[in-house]
Amino acid sequence: IQRYKYAFFYEDISSFKFKLKGNKFVVDEAEPYLSDIIEPITKDSFQLSGFSYGNSKLVYKKLDDSLKNNSADFKLTGNKYIRNFKKWTDTIHFVNESVYTSSGWSMENSELKWERINYNGFDILFTDIYIPFILKKKVGNKIYVTTFDKKKEDYILEEIE
């Protein structure tokens, strides 16, 4: 397992090994109370619960192959995009390979971080503040994205000058 590079606003490029013991996801055998309990929901999803989540549960779903990016490679660095979400608009500027700005969010004295990974054909954008974006395709100046929170939501990031 490899963590999001900028989790919790600090750089952490660590990776770690885990074991499955029955229905437990064990990261540190020395501290078994920190183990997560895996509960299947469907054949394509499961949830984790455990001490570190309190009363919350994390749900993981298998990504459908239709979300794989088939576009030619494109860069985000240096570009600005507008994102409309319901009645709210945000402008995102990817300043360099790890920092972005947002017209709708700021972190006082901290920079907002981002990381883009490609895994098995899935083009995934991790950012501070937002849940991950799955970049599906780029057509002209528009990037079609999907996010998953309680339900699947589709967006368009439109490149602006």
Side-chain angles (χ1 to χ4, degrees):
I1 293 177
Q2 185 172 339
R3 297 181 184 181
Y4 163 51
K5 189 177 197 175
Y6 302 109
F8 302 111
F9 312 108
Y10 64 91
E11 190 164 349
D12 180 4
I13 55 174
S14 65
S15 59
F16 52 93
K17 294 185 179 188
F18 66 91
K19 291 182 181 180
L20 289 175
K21 287 189 172 183
N23 71 335
K24 290 200 174 193
F25 180 78
V26 180
V27 175
D28 185 353
E29 288 190 270
E31 306 210 26
Y33 67 92
L34 294 177
S35 300
D36 296 328
I37 298 170
I38 301 170
E39 302 171 63
I41 298 174
T42 68
K43 68 177 186 162
D44 292 336
S45 66
F46 64 91
Q47 67 185 13
L48 292 179
S49 60
F51 177 79
S52 56
Y53 306 117
N55 291 329
S56 300
K57 295 178 188 260
L58 298 178
V59 176
Y60 292 84
K61 297 178 182 180
K62 180 180 177 185
L63 294 176
D64 190 89
D65 283 344
S66 67
L67 297 172
K68 290 185 177 184
N69 187 339
N70 295 319
S71 300
D73 191 33
F74 57 91
K75 69 178 188 115
L76 297 174
T77 303
N79 297 330
K80 291 182 184 178
Y81 297 88
I82 193 163
R83 178 179 82 112
N84 293 308
F85 174 68
K86 299 180 183 175
K87 295 181 180 180
W88 183 69
T89 299
D90 188 19
T91 302
I92 303 166
H93 178 207
F94 295 96
V95 178
N96 59 37
E97 292 294 325
S98 64
V99 175
Y100 77 100
T101 61
S102 166
S103 65
W105 297 95
S106 68
M107 293 300 300
E108 296 182 21
N109 297 328
S110 297
E111 297 176 322
L112 294 171
K113 301 286 192 166
W114 68 281
E115 177 183 23
R116 182 178 176 187
I117 64 163
N118 196 311
Y119 181 77
N120 282 347
F122 295 102
D123 194 355
I124 305 169
L125 174 63
F126 292 96
T127 65
D128 287 338
I129 309 295
Y130 301 113
I131 57 178
F133 293 97
I134 299 171
L135 309 177
K136 297 187 296 189
K137 64 182 175 180
K138 182 173 186 200
V139 178
N141 69 337
K142 296 180 180 177
I143 301 173
Y144 294 82
V145 302
T146 294
T147 61
F148 293 91
D149 193 10
K150 293 182 180 176
K151 62 180 184 168
K152 177 183 175 224
E153 295 187 24
D154 295 309
Y155 301 100
I156 296 174
L157 296 176
E158 186 171 355
E159 189 173 354
I160 57 175
E161 294 294 319

